[in-house]
Amino acid sequence: MRKLKNSELGRKTVEEFKQTNKTPIIVVLDNIRSLNNVGSVFRTSDAFLIEKIYLCGITATPPNKEIHKTALGATESVDWEYVENTIDLVKKLQAENIKVLSIEQAENSTMLNTFTPKTSQKYAVVFGNEVKGVQQEVVSASDICIEIPQLGTKHSLNISVSCGVVLWDLFTKIRN
């Protein structure tokens, strides 16, 4: 077995990415502090052909050297927009018939492994602050709260890891 060279991977150009049919998922970052986490979410969103990222509240925006370090150019391929107030965005998305899923540990949450997305539905997934999580007001306004099952001693995953887990899971379920 031989590792493939980057030139053998057949990746899209930014222009090809922009023209490609996207996975019907929008990512919402609710007050993310770490610029490295923001960059990582861009890179993961590029990998799974995510439609758009909304950067809300204190979440930093490109261009930014620290975001670029982990995004590795994905800020150029993935569409993004800054919106100051996350709850206003949630209401706007819902008015457009987009189902809002907060990724959070909450009463009556649905475990990610048991959630079955409808292939005809567009979803927005909300990831919260590294310490406080998704704002309670946003959780309350969401259509569904999705929880990542965790069986160890820690109470949470890093937001960039959570994003990777959730986007991969939804991507595979929607594409199959």
Side-chain angles (χ1 to χ4, degrees):
M1 203 174 317
R2 173 185 69 81
K3 283 176 44 175
L4 295 175
K5 297 175 184 168
N6 284 348
S7 61
E8 296 175 290
L9 295 176
R11 298 294 188 238
K12 294 173 178 18
T13 64
V14 171
E15 294 75 28
E16 290 169 335
F17 182 95
K18 297 272 188 199
Q19 299 302 316
T20 300
N21 284 337
K22 303 295 185 295
T23 307
I25 297 173
I26 294 165
V27 171
V28 178
L29 298 184
D30 180 28
N31 292 302
I32 303 304
R33 297 179 314 169
S34 166
L35 301 171
N36 290 325
N37 283 337
V38 174
S40 179
V41 169
F42 267 95
R43 196 157 145 200
T44 300
S45 295
D46 176 276
F48 300 125
L49 296 173
I50 298 307
E51 192 172 296
K52 187 171 187 174
I53 299 172
Y54 283 98
L55 308 168
C56 301
I58 66 165
T59 308
T61 62
N64 184 294
K65 186 174 79 174
E66 292 300 312
I67 291 173
H68 182 72
K69 246 194 255 185
T70 48
L72 295 179
T75 56
E76 303 304 316
S77 56
V78 180
D79 286 341
W80 65 271
E81 182 179 337
Y82 176 78
V83 175
E84 185 174 350
N85 189 301
T86 311
I87 195 69
D88 291 344
L89 174 62
V90 165
K91 290 175 183 174
K92 174 186 170 286
L93 294 171
Q94 288 170 324
E96 296 171 7
N97 197 34
I98 296 168
K99 294 284 184 214
V100 176
L101 314 176
S102 278
I103 310 305
E104 190 57 83
Q105 298 163 337
E107 293 174 337
N108 302 313
S109 62
T110 300
M111 291 297 165
L112 178 62
N113 56 306
T114 65
F115 176 71
T116 304
K118 295 178 181 156
T119 53
S120 59
Q121 177 67 56
K122 187 180 289 189
Y123 295 95
V125 290
V126 183
F127 297 93
N129 178 275
E130 292 88 343
V131 175
K132 297 178 181 180
V134 178
Q135 297 175 69
Q136 180 60 57
E137 183 180 22
V138 173
V139 171
S140 297
S142 296
D143 296 297
I144 304 170
C145 190
I146 300 291
E147 185 173 337
I148 301 169
Q150 297 172 63
L151 306 175
T153 63
K154 299 300 157 204
H155 298 290
S156 65
L157 296 170
N158 177 281
I159 182 265
S160 65
V161 173
S162 293
C163 182
V165 168
V166 170
L167 293 184
W168 168 249
D169 183 81
L170 295 178
F171 174 83
T172 58
K173 289 174 180 174
I174 290 169
R175 294 281 172 141
N176 285 339

